[in-house]
Amino acid sequence: MSLLADAKGAAPVGGRLPDGLEWFDIGHSDYTALIDADTAFWSLVRTDEAARVIEDGALVRQWQDKRASFAEEMELLRFNLKPSAVYFNPTERCNLDCAYCYIPRDMRKNGEHMSRETLLDAMERLHAYFSSIMPPDRKPQIIFHGAEPMLNRDAMFEAIAQYGDRFRFGVQTNATLLDEEAIAFLTGHGCGIGLSLDAPVEAVADRSRKRWNGDSVFASTLTAIDRLKGYAGFNVICTMNRENIDQLVPMVEFLHEREVPACMLNFVRCTQPGGRESWVEDAVVSKAYLAALDRTHELFRATGRKLVVANFANILISILAPTARRLMCDISPCGGGRSFFALAPDGTLYPCSEFIGLPDFAGGNLFIDKIEDVLETPPFKLVTGRKVEDIAECAVCPVRHFCGSPCPAEAFEANGGMDKIGAYCDAYLDQAKYAFRLIADGIEADYLWDGWDDGTETTFGFGGC
């Protein structure tokens, strides 16, 4: 939301300023950040010239002139969105037994598929709902999720074929059932495809992701990655956990070599016991994660080809252009129940897939209740009402609107309530500092999708004193 600011003079930096701004040490040799945490306004200021910037007053005056519009923009983003996506689980089952899965083990092993007729009925109901709230030139998105959606392949593919003119589709899969015919169908219909792989070494990847009988799925995932080479709409998710945390740099090298266009290095969520057992301490995960980001940049500079780490890119965009972010986990309230919701195979609606194993967060049923009524139920309101201002540690954090204190399911289950932080507070703080350092060095675009800012508008720019 701002450019770099320069001025003459020198002063130590620290403490909160009386005008509502505060200094934030980003760990850069030359720059520090001046932040209005309430509106997500920021400016980078040369540390040795900070006093003069404030004394001159030009930056502060321009910020004050724009502050109301910044606040209005954040209010719209945080409290006035309507859903535009559904995480659609067409089955409860999965053919893998991943250690950290947020879906309960018995459900994954013995659960039910959604029948073809029921799935198509759900699609029609979702179409009717989105048609009533979205402009006709915008398509809502369905992400077939799981468990393993490819176990219900025929019904899912029929829905994609019938409703491709009314929805954008994505499929998140473990890739074990992604044969050539399936890939041809999904790519032919322009579907986003997300695969899961936790390490570039089979022995490590198999520690947390394997079949129920213990067999490896590493080879089948690699086969799918190779088959998808050249398809812009696919990515690979790597869940950072205790078993693979030392493999993140080799992992991004591995994915870059295979010309994967984007990946996500996701923090393992501690909602379920398996996730909590796979948790990695903040300092350890930060060091490994930032080293992997560094390596993606080295590879880009060496080859001219990017491997975008999408979840970090989202943090970076949340700083550069808050309303342009693509993912809604890193905002408060999060996107669960606001910009998206989750549908279970029995029709139950949840704020997010992360809550599917938590029955108390069931808001209603697609086949019985109106979606607009479900969004107003107490289980949904508990999630959509979770604000960083109500979380003690977040209320005084300068980067609270670049982080959002994810994840509410994790905070509720692992830490005891919606007014608690999630599992990776310090790691998110480190991410924000790292992002600001990239901006200070003028290399932030190297970490983002080409054309990420198409359609955005600059609302504030300060050229210095």
Side-chain angles (χ1 to χ4, degrees):
M1 284 181 115
S2 182
L3 304 177
L4 305 185
D6 290 344
K8 298 178 181 178
V13 175
R16 186 169 180 85
L17 300 170
D19 56 14
L21 297 170
E22 60 186 303
W23 296 113
F24 177 56
D25 181 4
I26 63 172
H28 194 276
S29 58
D30 297 320
Y31 285 93
T32 193
L34 190 61
I35 292 179
D36 173 7
D38 288 337
T39 66
F41 165 86
W42 58 271
S43 183
L44 292 176
V45 180
R46 288 196 62 88
T47 305
D48 60 355
E49 300 175 348
R52 180 59 179 158
V53 168
I54 300 305
E55 180 183 338
D56 176 86
L59 172 60
V60 173
R61 287 191 297 272
Q62 290 193 35
W63 160 70
Q64 289 171 332
D65 289 343
K66 286 281 190 176
R67 194 180 193 209
S69 65
F70 296 155
E72 183 179 355
E73 182 180 86
M74 289 303 295
E75 178 78 10
L76 178 65
L77 177 66
R78 298 180 65 201
F79 303 111
N80 290 284
L81 297 182
K82 290 185 177 181
S84 60
V86 181
Y87 287 92
F88 192 131
N89 286 26
T91 180
E92 293 177 326
R93 297 182 205 167
C94 189
N95 55 347
L96 303 192
D97 184 25
C98 300
Y100 48 70
C101 188
Y102 57 84
I103 297 177
R105 199 166 188 261
D106 182 65
M107 186 183 293
R108 287 183 282 119
K109 191 170 187 177
N110 303 307
E112 299 296 325
H113 289 331
M114 185 180 276
S115 71
R116 169 193 172 276
E117 293 76 18
T118 303
L119 196 154
L120 294 176
D121 183 13
M123 290 298 305
E124 189 60 32
R125 291 170 186 266
L126 292 171
H127 169 60
Y129 168 70
F130 286 117
S131 296
S132 72
I133 65 167
M134 293 182 66
D137 60 340
R138 284 190 61 202
K139 289 183 181 180
Q141 185 173 23
I142 298 287
I143 305 99
F144 285 113
H145 214 255
E148 176 45 54
M150 287 294 294
L151 288 172
N152 202 3
R153 164 178 168 162
D154 290 347
M156 181 176 71
F157 281 14
E158 186 168 347
I160 292 171
Q162 285 195 27
Y163 286 86
D165 60 339
R166 284 165 277 184
F167 290 91
R168 295 179 295 122
F169 286 100
V171 177
Q172 179 60 44
T173 173
N174 60 34
T176 56
L177 302 173
L178 207 59
D179 56 26
E180 290 185 356
E181 182 183 358
I183 288 175
F185 176 87
L186 292 172
T187 57
H189 285 82
C191 298
I193 303 173
L195 311 182
S196 297
L197 183 68
D198 281 354
V201 179
E202 184 171 7
V204 178
D206 291 348
R207 292 174 191 167
S208 54
R209 301 185 59 81
K210 53 186 179 294
R211 296 184 186 273
W212 289 97
N213 64 3
D215 286 354
S216 173
V217 295
F218 184 81
S220 60
T221 309
L222 261 60
T223 297
I225 289 174
D226 291 341
R227 286 173 173 165
L228 285 164
K229 183 177 178 179
Y231 184 59
F234 98 98
N235 66 82
V236 174
I237 291 179
C238 171
T239 299
M240 300 183 291
N241 64 85
R242 192 171 296 280
E243 299 293 348
N244 70 350
I245 198 63
D246 62 345
Q247 293 291 313
L248 298 190
V249 169
M251 183 65 177
V252 298
E253 294 173 341
F254 178 87
L255 296 177
H256 187 272
E257 182 181 359
R258 281 157 181 77
E259 299 184 21
V260 174
C263 72
M264 296 180 73
L265 302 179
N266 283 350
F267 297 96
V268 64
R269 287 297 164 206
C270 300
T271 307
Q272 295 287 345
R276 294 193 282 276
E277 291 169 6
S278 301
W279 175 78
V280 185
E281 295 82 357
D282 282 39
V284 176
V285 74
S286 278
K287 181 178 179 181
Y289 180 53
L290 299 185
L293 294 175
D294 285 341
R295 185 59 180 142
T296 65
H297 189 245
E298 293 169 356
L299 292 168
F300 169 61
R301 287 298 176 95
T303 66
R305 181 165 43 82
K306 293 180 180 178
L307 169 64
V308 175
V309 180
N311 52 311
F312 172 71
N314 200 63
I315 294 287
L316 194 51
I317 291 172
S318 77
I319 296 171
L320 294 167
T323 59
R325 65 184 85 200
R326 299 188 179 188
L327 306 174
M328 293 297 289
C329 294
D330 308 319
I331 184 67
S332 156
C334 77
R338 292 197 310 118
S339 60
F340 58 82
F341 54 86
L343 173 65
D346 65 355
T348 302
L349 296 169
Y350 295 88
C352 171
S353 293
E354 194 74 24
F355 289 97
I356 284 180
L358 306 176
D360 288 346
F361 286 90
N365 192 288
L366 178 66
F367 304 113
I368 300 171
D369 306 301
K370 293 181 178 180
I371 294 173
E372 52 268 37
D373 293 340
V374 172
L375 299 178
E376 298 299 321
T377 58
F380 271 64
K381 285 296 188 181
L382 194 58
V383 177
T384 59
R386 180 179 183 263
K387 308 189 300 292
V388 285
E389 291 88 344
D390 299 329
I391 303 169
E393 295 89 342
C394 302
V396 294
C397 178
V399 299
R400 55 183 174 266
H401 290 320
F402 308 135
C403 161
S405 192
C407 156
E410 178 181 75
F412 190 85
E413 284 294 297
N415 290 339
M418 287 296 179
D419 61 345
K420 306 298 182 183
I421 60 172
Y424 301 99
C425 188
D426 289 342
Y428 276 95
L429 187 65
D430 289 342
Q431 267 195 104
K433 291 180 178 180
Y434 183 89
F436 275 117
R437 291 197 294 271
L438 300 183
I439 298 168
D441 290 336
I443 58 173
E444 69 276 9
D446 294 355
Y447 292 75
L448 297 171
W449 298 274
D450 293 338
W452 73 270
D453 56 348
D454 292 346
T456 63
E457 179 183 352
T458 300
T459 59
F460 184 92
F462 182 73
C465 299

